[in-house]
Amino acid sequence: LGLGDADKQNKASLRKAAKVLPEVLKKTGYQNADLVEPVIDKKSLTAGLAAAIMVDAMIAGSYKFDKYLSADKTKKEKPTQIN
């Protein structure tokens, strides 16, 4: 999953890309993924902040509210591991 032109990256674009990652991994059947820190040359977006934004977005993207679904719709899936 590429983020595109480094000059155009900001908090919103990182969040948007990272939020879809868990679903992409699930659909493609991958169970493990390694993240490479994006190269962003902006003082307002440090590497630590970029990593925090991506982790937060991946958690939000993988959340699934299934409390009221029937048992056949709530089959347990193996968790995806993102390193």
Side-chain angles (χ1 to χ4, degrees):
L1 177 64
L3 298 176
D5 197 6
D7 294 337
K8 297 179 182 177
Q9 296 309 311
N10 57 36
K11 294 174 188 176
S13 63
L14 284 176
R15 191 174 287 116
K16 183 178 179 181
K19 190 172 183 179
V20 300
L21 183 59
E23 188 65 29
V24 170
L25 292 172
K26 186 168 73 171
K27 284 183 179 180
T28 57
Y30 285 98
Q31 303 234 327
N32 296 303
D34 293 324
L35 292 181
V36 177
E37 183 178 305
V39 177
I40 299 173
D41 190 23
K42 295 182 181 180
K43 291 183 180 182
S44 62
L45 189 58
T46 64
L49 180 58
I53 288 169
M54 293 175 67
V55 168
D56 184 55
M58 285 184 283
I59 291 169
S62 63
Y63 177 75
K64 188 175 183 181
F65 184 77
D66 56 5
K67 181 177 181 179
Y68 298 106
L69 293 178
S70 61
D72 60 325
K73 292 183 181 178
T74 60
K75 80 174 193 181
K76 293 290 182 186
E77 298 173 359
K78 287 185 172 181
T80 301
Q81 179 178 342
I82 301 174
N83 303 317

